[in-house]
Amino acid sequence: MSLTVPALVTASAGAPFERATIDRRALGPGDVLIDIAYAGICHSDIHQAREEWGTAIFPMVPGHEIAGVVAEVGDAVTRYAVGDRVGVGCFVDSCRECETCRAGEEQYCLSGNVPTYNGRDADGTPTYGGYSTQIVVDEAYVLGIPEGISLDVAAPLLCAGITTYSPLKHWKAGPGTKVAVVGMGGLGHLAVKIAHALGAEVTVISHTLSKKDDGIRFGADHYETGDRETLKRLRGSFDLIINTVSADLPVDAYLRALRLDGTMVFVGAPENKQSFRAFSLIGGRRSLAGSNIGGIRETQEMLDFCAQHGIGAEIETIGADDVDKAYDRVVASDVRYRFVIDTSTIPAR
Ligand code: NAP
Ligand code: ZN
Ligand code: ZN
């Protein structure tokens, strides 16, 4: 029998969140039932809840930065037991057969993975995310949260952490490399911590200097603003630029800040088209790239790496009544540095 679970629901694009209940599927043999403790608010939740990326599925329960504890396991589950601390990220299933799934890169599943929310399960049922008290997920798409990271600061690692860890590893950030992180919000602040822990020389490029002290505390070696003059001074500086900005950027000026063979990676996903001049690439054999979250295996590797290096998100914990306000604050770049919903505040009182 399916489970009825309290959740925060938005009825249509931009509508305020309301307390309601949703149905979760009955626990299957390979499934894990998770009592959700915390759910992070990712800017992608806002893009989707406001339909900035195109048509979305409503009613919607966002949330793909989920941390909690296993409450029940199906008969065939082998990886997790009741009481384990676990997480769920941006997808809850994939085809498991295509080239990319077999390579452990399920985020690029050729038939499209099943997003944790604003998606549909194989049987067509809409998926609902982490702004809720419980979720049922196939154990193959559940992550273990290591001892040593508390669940609240671990939740944002499930999207913001892996989205920055994956390109930093892919493009080999480490000792001797110069990495710029553009935008120091939810993704950006974790990019700074992770790039620093990997041994890279890290520069933040923010649109103000207001978060400079924090950036240096998170491990940045330099902190700059992205104005025209500064970007001119930074020409030829970086091996890797991780762009986490959710809005439009002067792409050419950033490309020219790359060294020979440098790469600028978009993880930020603005709603508008971005443009650049071919000469900005040609002039330094530069690359412009994109990166999408990370696979299950790499997400576990990232969680273990963060535990080992004492990395968690900087969070502001909020209750169910504060989510609409939090969305506005994220859009205004007024978040230090991730909002996390305490899901015990979701059930109607
Ligand atoms: P966030 O917390 O809002 O951070 C974005 C940062 O971008 C802000 O803190 C701000 O940093 C900068 N910014 C925002 N508006 C700006 C503007 N108008 N001009 C210049 N800078 C601006 O958002 P997030 O949760 O980190 O997500 C960032 C983006 O990544 C979103 O588009 C999100 O959808 C996307 N995303 C992509 C993936 C993926 O897999 N590729 C995964 C998760 C999220 P400063 O104040 O420091 O300038
Ligand atoms: Zn996200
Ligand atoms: Zn696949």
Side-chain angles (χ1 to χ4, degrees):
M1 229 182 39
S2 66
L3 298 168
T4 302
V5 172
L8 288 179
V9 177
T10 173
S12 59
F17 281 94
E18 288 176 19
R19 289 181 165 87
T21 56
I22 52 166
D23 287 336
R24 300 288 194 191
R25 68 166 180 259
L27 198 69
D31 285 339
V32 172
L33 173 67
I34 301 166
D35 284 338
I36 301 171
Y38 298 97
I41 294 180
C42 177
H43 205 122
S44 303
D45 298 350
I46 303 173
H47 288 306
Q48 291 173 87
R50 296 183 174 175
E51 278 195 334
E52 291 168 354
W53 288 345
T55 310
I57 303 170
F58 291 96
M60 183 188 292
V61 178
H64 58 210
E65 294 186 336
I66 299 171
V69 175
V70 174
E72 214 180 312
V73 295
D75 294 342
V77 167
T78 56
R79 301 180 203 192
Y80 298 104
V82 172
D84 285 354
R85 291 150 32 90
V86 292
V88 179
C90 297
F91 55 92
V92 289
D93 207 349
S94 65
C95 85
R96 308 173 195 216
E97 287 169 0
C98 72
E99 196 185 336
T100 54
C101 280
R102 279 188 280 116
E105 305 265 29
E106 305 89 348
Q107 72 278 30
Y108 303 115
C109 175
L110 296 178
S111 35
N113 55 39
V114 178
T116 304
Y117 68 88
N118 192 22
R120 292 189 188 278
D121 266 328
D123 68 0
T125 316
T127 55
Y128 296 119
Y131 300 6
S132 166
T133 56
Q134 291 187 309
I135 190 168
V136 175
V137 181
D138 186 304
E139 67 165 339
Y141 296 82
V142 174
L143 289 308
I145 296 180
E147 291 304 322
I149 319 184
S150 57
L151 293 178
D152 52 357
V153 303
L157 299 177
L158 275 302
C159 175
I162 184 59
T163 299
T164 49
Y165 180 86
S166 185
L168 286 166
K169 291 287 286 194
H170 184 81
W171 279 278
K172 301 188 171 42
T177 61
K178 293 188 178 187
V179 174
V181 175
V182 188
M184 201 175 75
L187 266 56
H189 90 288
L190 285 169
V192 171
K193 291 187 178 194
I194 293 168
H196 173 71
L198 287 168
E201 183 178 329
V202 183
T203 302
V204 174
I205 305 180
S206 175
H207 65 300
T208 69
L209 290 178
S210 62
K211 298 179 270 191
K212 180 173 179 180
D213 292 348
D214 289 344
I216 302 296
R217 183 160 54 83
F218 301 153
D221 301 282
H222 317 279
Y223 203 99
E224 305 277 4
T225 53
D227 58 89
R228 199 168 286 274
E229 283 310 303
T230 307
L231 290 175
K232 220 164 161 184
R233 171 165 55 78
L234 292 174
R235 276 188 187 174
S237 294
F238 305 111
D239 301 290
L240 179 63
I241 296 177
I242 305 284
N243 170 31
T244 76
V245 173
S246 48
D248 301 341
L249 271 194
V251 179
D252 290 296
Y254 282 93
L255 286 173
R256 288 193 293 263
L258 290 170
R259 278 173 158 175
L260 179 65
D261 289 329
T263 303
M264 176 173 184
V265 184
F266 269 69
V267 292
E271 80 182 279
N272 298 326
K273 272 191 182 171
Q274 306 294 297
S275 65
F276 66 92
R277 288 170 62 85
F279 285 111
S280 305
L281 297 177
I282 292 169
R285 200 165 53 199
R286 302 180 180 109
S287 302
L288 181 57
S291 184
N292 184 29
I293 44 176
I296 294 295
R297 187 169 60 221
E298 193 175 41
T299 304
Q300 190 63 60
E301 177 189 307
M302 175 277 308
L303 288 166
D304 297 342
F305 176 89
C306 287
Q308 199 185 337
H309 292 270
I311 295 173
E314 306 289 315
I315 58 166
E316 284 189 50
T317 306
I318 59 168
D321 295 325
D322 301 323
V323 174
D324 295 309
K325 237 181 310 165
Y327 272 31
D328 290 337
R329 284 188 53 200
V330 171
V331 172
S333 299
D334 177 28
V335 50
R336 301 289 187 275
Y337 282 86
R338 200 57 141 185
F339 288 112
V340 169
I341 304 168
D342 173 353
T343 58
S344 69
T345 61
I346 292 176
R349 273 167 293 185

